[in-house]
Amino acid sequence: MSRWDRFTETFLNTKVMARYLPDILSGVLVTIELALLVVVTGLAAGLSLALLRSLGIRPLNWLIIFIVDLFRSLPPLVVIVLIYFGLPSVGLSPSGFVSTWLSLGFVLMAFSEEIFWAGITSVARGQWEAARSTGLSFGQTLRHVVLPQAFRLTIPPLTNRTIAITKGTALGTVVAVTEILGQASSAMSNSYNPSPLMLGAAAYLVLFLPVVVAARWVETRFAWKR
Amino acid sequence: MSGPIVDARGVHKHFGALHVLKGVDLRVAERELVFVIGPSGSGKSTLLRCLNRLEEPSAGSVVVDGIDMLDPRTDINHARQRIGMVFQSFNLYPHMTALGNVTLALRKVAGKSRADAEALGRAALERVGLADRAGHTPGQLSGGQQQRVAIARSIALEPRVMLFDEPTSALDPELVGSVLEVMRSLRESGMTMIVVSHEMGFARNAADRVLFMDEGAIVEEGPPAAIFERPAHERTRAFIGQIQRH
């Protein structure tokens, strides 16, 4: 047996791969579900907090800044563990799936709030003044003038952060979520062969490459003619 | 209507410890063009911005077209439609075309349909000589063209008064003329205008009255010829001397 054969036998074992492919695929579905939930709720919550913050109510802004800094400082894994093992003591027992969703959602909320806020504040004061001087309300100015410009600036950092955090769905393995990595590592220990892990890696690529490409498309779409 | 269209009395403005306006009175009649000159930091721009409440005056009263601008019950967004404002840095919305810039408030504030707003928007662009640039974004326009679009954005709302805050200061010298040309035609159409600017030639030809401001107060006012040639105050004389040397 040549070295190459030994390598393929270990890492690209088609028999093992075929056997555990259904498990990995079900893991892909769980990952997609989890990632979509995290992205939609995390970004929506982050944008809501940034909009609330733009109202300029001091005590509220202190609270927002505190929450955001908290979730930006804590490692996501710690948040998952705290929610999964901590909430039962107050009578709530979220599943591993829900714990992971909530944790990553909070973390994405915190990071995206900062990114949205930076985008909103980077729009020149003159834009606000011009819009308000024509009679547009605060809300109309935000919606039609400020946010379109802010979004354009926030798309690159936002997509990076979103991709980083959705990959964090793999952390769900520690609380028994059967997503890609969870399925791959249990397949690995059942088969004494790391090929399912390669399959899992391939699944992540297939999942996230289109997201990266889509992000690039959105960036070009939001760029305006100069 | 016989009373002044702009009636500001005893306007004070503090920025923290800084006392920027020290009880300014300004009355402007309909169809009048009032020019405001003065050194930087004299409070000219702040005065202008107090008239449409972009800045909240610390004390005093501001009535424009019969509307008490400082009354908390006044619908400020509605009132601002009657007061156009043009800024030094144009402040066009970079993500919209020229026509989009002009029609936004027509649709969202004046409540026009898209078709009506576009017809009015094109007419306004026509008035500033930019009908053929309707589909261009600000980035594709020269500074002078951008400022004319900004003027179109204001006049499309058919304001009763137009405020100009150093409209030509950010422009290359060769582009100033086209903007002044538009302002002159506005003036001929009978628009009431308050202009903060150092375009003395324009002031001489077009202004009914020139105010000289210094340190938050109006030092003197009068017809352009009087202010430019026979200023009563030493500070006015010094300022005009400096401006004309350049």
Side-chain angles (χ1 to χ4, degrees):
Chain A
M1 207 188 237
S2 72
R3 275 185 188 170
W4 173 246
D5 288 337
R6 220 166 327 167
F7 177 81
T8 50
E9 172 78 21
T10 313
F11 288 99
L12 302 166
N13 189 315
T14 45
K15 231 182 283 165
V16 175
M17 280 183 168
R19 193 161 142 222
Y20 289 100
L21 184 64
D23 289 352
I24 301 286
L25 285 180
S26 85
V28 167
L29 283 183
V30 174
T31 296
I32 290 176
E33 234 177 307
L34 195 51
L36 280 179
L37 279 171
V38 167
V39 170
V40 170
T41 55
L43 291 181
L47 179 59
S48 309
L49 283 190
L51 293 179
L52 273 180
R53 195 171 166 186
S54 72
L55 295 176
I57 304 163
R58 280 262 175 92
L60 183 64
N61 284 5
W62 290 332
L63 183 67
I64 291 172
I65 292 167
F66 173 74
I67 292 171
V68 162
D69 285 354
L70 187 72
F71 281 108
R72 290 198 304 162
S73 327
L74 288 172
L77 183 60
V78 173
V79 184
I80 292 174
V81 169
L82 279 177
I83 289 183
Y84 186 71
F85 294 105
L87 283 188
S89 63
V90 293
L92 295 165
S93 29
S95 64
F97 183 89
V98 170
S99 302
T100 311
W101 166 28
L102 286 179
S103 311
L104 297 177
F106 280 130
V107 174
L108 183 57
M109 170 192 80
F111 278 102
S112 64
E113 188 280 335
E114 276 303 297
I115 294 170
F116 282 129
W117 177 246
I120 290 172
T121 51
S122 71
V123 173
R125 223 179 113 90
Q127 294 286 311
W128 282 98
E129 294 180 343
R132 296 306 303 274
S133 79
T134 60
L136 291 173
S137 67
F138 177 87
Q140 288 174 321
T141 303
L142 199 59
R143 164 151 165 42
H144 299 290
V145 176
V146 174
L147 286 183
Q149 298 183 56
F151 281 149
R152 181 180 162 273
L153 294 164
T154 55
I155 282 166
L158 213 51
T159 47
N160 280 338
R161 189 47 72 177
T162 301
I163 290 163
I165 285 167
T166 44
K167 278 189 294 190
T169 49
L171 295 171
T173 42
V174 297
V175 290
V177 179
T178 52
E179 45 67 65
I180 299 174
L181 188 66
Q183 292 286 12
S185 52
S186 66
M188 190 164 72
S189 35
N190 290 336
S191 64
Y192 304 106
N193 183 295
S195 296
L197 201 59
M198 300 305 286
L199 211 50
Y204 275 111
L205 272 184
V206 169
L207 255 183
F208 284 103
L209 265 182
V211 176
V212 178
V213 173
R216 215 179 284 281
W217 176 80
V218 172
E219 276 167 42
T220 50
R221 232 210 73 166
F222 266 79
W224 49 77
K225 287 181 269 174
R226 291 192 173 270
Chain B
M1 223 167 72
S2 52
I5 191 160
V6 173
D7 192 350
R9 294 174 194 226
V11 176
H12 285 264
K13 177 67 189 175
H14 297 268
F15 289 114
L18 217 59
H19 197 175
V20 183
L21 291 179
K22 299 170 182 166
V24 175
D25 293 308
L26 175 63
R27 245 145 281 163
V28 179
E30 255 194 285
R31 306 174 80 90
E32 197 181 11
L33 192 157
V34 174
F35 230 77
V36 185
I37 59 172
S40 68
S42 59
K44 316 173 293 260
S45 291
T46 307
L47 173 62
L48 221 53
R49 297 156 59 87
C50 280
L51 298 180
N52 66 353
R53 230 175 87 188
L54 274 188
E55 298 290 356
E56 198 81 39
S58 313
S61 71
V62 177
V63 177
V64 178
D65 198 19
I67 298 171
D68 182 350
M69 297 297 289
L70 305 185
D71 187 336
R73 285 165 302 180
T74 297
D75 178 352
I76 190 69
N77 297 325
H78 185 74
R80 277 179 179 149
Q81 270 186 270
R82 298 158 181 251
I83 311 171
M85 187 160 200
V86 174
F87 301 84
Q88 179 175 354
S89 47
F90 328 136
N91 299 343
L92 291 182
Y93 315 134
H95 57 302
M96 295 181 188
T97 61
L99 188 62
N101 269 274
V102 178
T103 53
L104 180 64
L106 284 171
R107 295 198 291 131
K108 303 297 170 189
V109 185
K112 308 276 185 206
S113 70
R114 182 180 282 273
D116 288 350
E118 289 191 351
L120 291 168
R122 282 183 201 283
L125 286 172
E126 180 86 56
R127 279 182 76 183
V128 300
L130 289 173
D132 57 332
R133 295 286 191 277
H136 288 52
T137 59
Q140 298 169 321
L141 299 172
S142 74
Q145 291 171 332
Q146 288 188 52
Q147 192 60 299
R148 282 146 68 199
V149 172
I151 294 174
R153 176 171 66 183
S154 286
I155 60 176
L157 292 162
E158 296 182 1
R160 302 295 316 275
V161 185
M162 286 281 291
L163 311 175
F164 290 85
D165 190 1
E166 309 214 21
T168 56
S169 302
L171 294 176
D172 290 334
E174 76 271 20
L175 301 176
V176 169
S178 66
V179 172
L180 293 182
E181 199 44 57
V182 167
M183 289 170 66
R184 193 165 288 129
S185 78
L186 255 186
R187 157 102 185 114
E188 279 156 15
S189 74
M191 178 68 76
T192 309
M193 295 161 72
I194 305 176
V195 183
V196 169
S197 167
H198 292 150
E199 296 293 340
M200 297 302 171
F202 182 73
R204 227 181 272 270
N205 292 329
D208 297 301
R209 191 151 53 107
V210 177
L211 309 183
F212 173 68
M213 279 185 78
D214 194 19
E215 294 180 354
I218 294 173
V219 176
E220 67 174 298
E221 60 179 286
I227 296 288
F228 292 137
E229 273 125 49
R230 301 178 302 279
H233 286 259
E234 182 50 44
R235 276 187 289 173
T236 319
R237 209 169 303 143
F239 177 75
I240 286 166
Q242 261 176 355
I243 292 280
Q244 284 173 341
R245 227 170 294 137
H246 294 296

